[in-house]
Structure formats: C-alpha cells, structure tokens
Amino acid sequence: MRGARSSASEFVTDGHPDKVCDQMADAIVDAAMEQDPKSRVAMEVTGGHGGVVVIGEMTTKAIFDVGEVCRKKYREIGHADALGVFTNIVRQSPDISQGVDEGRGMDLEQGAGDQGIMTGYAVADGPMLMPLSHTLARALCVRMRELGTTGQLPWMRPDGKSIVVVNTEGLVTHVTLAAHHSSMVNGVEIRPDDPQSEKRVLEMIREELTTHCVRETLRDRLVPDAWIVVNGTGKFVQGGFEADAGTTGRKLAVDNYGPNIEIGGGAYSGKDPSKVDRSAAYFCRMVAKSIVAGGHAQEALVKVGYAIGQSRPVYISVETPLVPQCASLEAKVREKFDFRPKAINEQLGLLTPKGWCYQDTAAMGHYGDARFPWEQVVEL
C-alpha cells in the first residue's frame, strides 16, 4: 500500500495527442453502442501530423462513418488542422465471440472478453477518495481547458500537461505546467528573431496560470517556496497532432491513479464493456471506494483476474494497510458484489450510458468524476 510518503502525478488535457487518440477510439465505441448496445468494439487509434490510422475489430449492427467520427472529435477538442483517416477494421474473432456471447461459452454465461488482472483503488485523501497529487494534477488540466474554452484566456489552446508533487504532510512542493498557447498572446506576438517577445509571452502565461489556475485550484496547499514551472522551453505554440503523434492507451497511469499506485495491465479506451480490462476495472474502483467510504479502511486496493471466455473471476483480493482485516473484507466483497461481466454491465449501466459517455472518460479521467456510475458507494 502507499502509506505516508510523498507522491507525484502527471495529468494531460483532452488536447494531448495520446488523449485525442483515446477519445477518437471511444467516440467509435459510443457511435456503435448508441445504435447497437451489444456491439463488440476493440479500436486502436494512432495519429499525428495530419493523419490518423484506425485499426481493430468491430461487430455491430450500427452504421456510421468512422473517419467522420474521428474528424468530428478532433474539431470538438479544438484542434483545427485537417486529418486524413485510414481504417482497417474487421469483425471480432469467432474464437473470442463464442466465449463472450451468452449461451455460447463453456459455462453458457457471458464470458470475459479478455484475460488479465484489473485493479481498483481508493484512499481517504479527499471527497472523491483519489490520491491527492492525482486529484490536483487533474484539476489543473481541467482548469487550463476552462480558461481557454470560456474565453477567460482566449489564447490558450487544447494541448497541455501538469505534474504535481505532494510531500508527506500533504503540501504541494512542485507544480509543472505545459500550457499550449497561440503565437499571439494579448497582442504580443512571438517572433523567432526577437527573444524578448518569447520572454514577455512566457511571463504572461506564468502570471495568468499561477493566478487563475494554480492558486485557485490548490488554494493554501502550496508551500511558501513551491517550485512552479510553466512551459519549460519558453513557449508551446505547436501542439496536438501538429507537434507530436499519439496512440490509444499510452497514458495508463493518467487513466488510473498515478504512478504511485499499482494498476492493471490493460488500457480502457476503444473497448466496449464486454472487455473486462475496462468494465471490471471500473467495478473494482466502486468496490474500493465503498470500502473506504464505509469506514472499513483508510486505503483499499481491489484486484480481480479473469480467464477469457469465463464468466466468474479466477482471482479476487482486497489489500488495506491493516493486513489482518483483509481476509474479512475480501469475504464481504465476495458476498456483496457480483463480478460476472454481465452483472457488472447491468449494475453500472455500461451498455446504455446515461448522463455520460465513453468519450467523457477518455477526456479528463476515468475516475473521480461523480457522473460515472462506478463512483457510487455501496454499503458493505
């Protein structure tokens, strides 16, 4: 378990190239499941420098243009450059579908759509029971996007990153921000032949972000001599696919609980909820949160393992700082929660999302958002 030690977390905005790919993949999932909730989708998206490649499997009754879904999402995020989209999509493997479809598997129930270990975590660090450094890093990215999209800082652009370091006393010692911006900031143009223009723009960005973003979000958590770095190279004009390439599933620590917490091996985005990489991880988060919110432990890590095509997990464990209580909590969890894939999908409403969509999870985090049904608390 994490225990009392310093922690650091990175987060990225929805305009980061990897997150753009995650959102495109999940936009495809949403488009398929909106028309056909039983769709089987497994999409991998790679994009950069004017092009996007979509490769994967999809079995669905839905009819839509994958290329247009990707282009629309890119525009919605706020990137403007044109995109060419190449697709290579086939039907789901019959070897997998015969184990996933109810009535066809070895135990005639809906089996897991993949094999692996999934984890869920919660800690009593704040109202959403997420690690403090991760919560704050996410809040900074959310705030940066708000400053740009609401017009408060109209020169802000979609790409961005944050890092927050928290010491053992829960105070913030370091903040690093990468703030994507236009070449024209409040009338000051960045000119390659004038290094002073870069300096003035950087100072403006730092002032605006530390005033309107860092201090507002972190309130009194900053130590007096906190080290705050904004745009370490001096400017960040090129962003998104114009500057870099991205790939689905490359921000696993961002999608989970940060680099200080053990996570499972599977990515989430681009997968329909028959893939336990996604659905069971969400379920484990609900279980872990219920343990902590119920006062059973200050911190909880829940793990579950599946064999592909099998409906019941081969492994369930509960870890807390107090080792003697783990066995009794694990027994309660096994009794209270149904980890079969069909039961998970039904309890969380994963086949027919209401008030949220899979693109939302890919944009600004899969956890810590009250809209998501796996953030509910179940009494143990």
Side-chain angles (χ1 to χ4, degrees), residues 22-98:
D22 284 341
Q23 290 168 88
M24 288 179 176
D26 273 343
I28 297 170
V29 172
D30 284 329
M33 295 189 65
E34 183 177 8
Q35 298 182 42
D36 179 7
K38 295 183 178 180
S39 296
R40 297 284 185 258
V41 186
M43 290 292 115
E44 305 294 342
V45 177
T46 295
H49 312 297
V52 170
V53 177
V54 183
I55 299 177
E57 303 81 50
M58 182 161 56
T59 301
T60 183
K61 296 177 182 177
I63 299 174
F64 59 93
D65 185 333
V66 169
E68 182 51 35
V69 167
C70 293
R71 295 184 188 95
K72 179 182 177 184
K73 175 49 60 178
Y74 200 59
R75 293 193 299 267
E76 288 176 350
I77 292 169
H79 291 301
D81 41 317
L83 288 181
V85 181
F86 169 82
T87 63
N88 186 12
I89 300 172
V90 301
R91 292 177 62 84
Q92 183 182 53
S93 162
D95 296 343
I96 297 176
S97 63
Q98 71 177 357

Side-chain angles (χ1 to χ4, degrees), residues 5 8 144 160 181 197 261 283 306 312 333:
R5 65 174 186 262
M144 279 197 291
H181 61 89
S197 70
I261 307 303
F283 199 66
Y306 292 88
R312 299 182 185 277
V333 165

Side-chain angles (χ1 to χ4, degrees), residues 96 100 111-116 118 271 274-277 306-309:
I96 297 176
V100 176
D114 208 344
Q115 175 175 310
M118 297 84 213
K271 300 176 181 178
S274 72
K275 281 71 172 176
V276 286
D277 276 343
Y306 292 88
I308 190 168

Side-chain angles (χ1 to χ4, degrees), residues 13-272:
T13 66
D14 59 340
H16 183 281
D18 291 329
K19 282 285 108 188
V20 170
C21 292
D22 284 341
Q23 290 168 88
M24 288 179 176
D26 273 343
I28 297 170
V29 172
D30 284 329
M33 295 189 65
E34 183 177 8
Q35 298 182 42
D36 179 7
K38 295 183 178 180
S39 296
R40 297 284 185 258
V41 186
M43 290 292 115
E44 305 294 342
V45 177
T46 295
H49 312 297
V52 170
V53 177
V54 183
I55 299 177
E57 303 81 50
M58 182 161 56
T59 301
T60 183
K61 296 177 182 177
I63 299 174
F64 59 93
D65 185 333
V66 169
E68 182 51 35
V69 167
C70 293
R71 295 184 188 95
K72 179 182 177 184
K73 175 49 60 178
Y74 200 59
R75 293 193 299 267
E76 288 176 350
I77 292 169
H79 291 301
D81 41 317
L83 288 181
V85 181
F86 169 82
T87 63
N88 186 12
I89 300 172
V90 301
R91 292 177 62 84
Q92 183 182 53
S93 162
D95 296 343
I96 297 176
S97 63
Q98 71 177 357
V100 176
D101 294 339
E102 190 171 9
R104 296 180 62 194
M106 294 177 66
D107 55 9
L108 300 182
E109 294 187 61
Q110 178 182 333
D114 208 344
Q115 175 175 310
I117 305 292
M118 297 84 213
T119 66
Y121 178 78
V123 62
D125 268 354
M128 295 310 295
L129 306 184
M130 290 286 287
L132 179 60
S133 61
H134 205 62
T135 297
L136 296 176
R138 176 184 183 273
L140 289 173
C141 284
V142 170
R143 183 60 178 147
M144 279 197 291
R145 290 295 282 135
E146 288 176 348
L147 290 171
T149 57
T150 61
Q152 296 176 67
L153 299 180
W155 40 266
M156 289 285 285
R157 295 294 180 261
D159 203 347
K161 289 184 178 183
S162 68
I163 295 177
V164 173
V165 180
V166 176
N167 66 18
T168 56
E169 298 175 348
L171 298 176
V172 176
T173 60
H174 297 75
V175 176
T176 301
L177 295 170
H180 185 198
H181 61 89
S182 71
S183 60
M184 181 75 75
V185 184
N186 286 3
V188 178
E189 184 177 2
I190 295 180
R191 298 189 301 275
D193 59 342
D194 182 4
Q196 288 303 310
S197 70
E198 280 191 24
K199 183 177 179 180
R200 288 199 302 274
V201 170
L202 176 60
E203 289 172 348
M204 292 168 63
I205 292 174
R206 178 184 171 88
E207 179 182 353
E208 293 286 356
L209 287 176
T210 53
T211 300
H212 298 290
C213 186
V214 176
R215 290 174 186 162
E216 177 179 316
T217 304
L218 306 187
R219 296 187 175 91
D220 298 325
R221 286 194 175 273
L222 285 171
V223 299
D225 58 346
W227 183 17
I228 301 174
V229 177
V230 178
N231 291 356
T233 67
K235 67 176 182 178
F236 185 4
V237 173
Q238 281 194 325
F241 287 165
E242 182 185 9
D244 200 0
T247 297
T248 304
R250 196 150 58 182
K251 287 293 180 283
L252 279 179
V254 170
D255 284 342
N256 283 269
Y257 308 96
N260 308 288
I261 307 303
E262 184 177 346
I263 62 176
Y268 302 152
S269 293
K271 300 176 181 178
D272 75 85

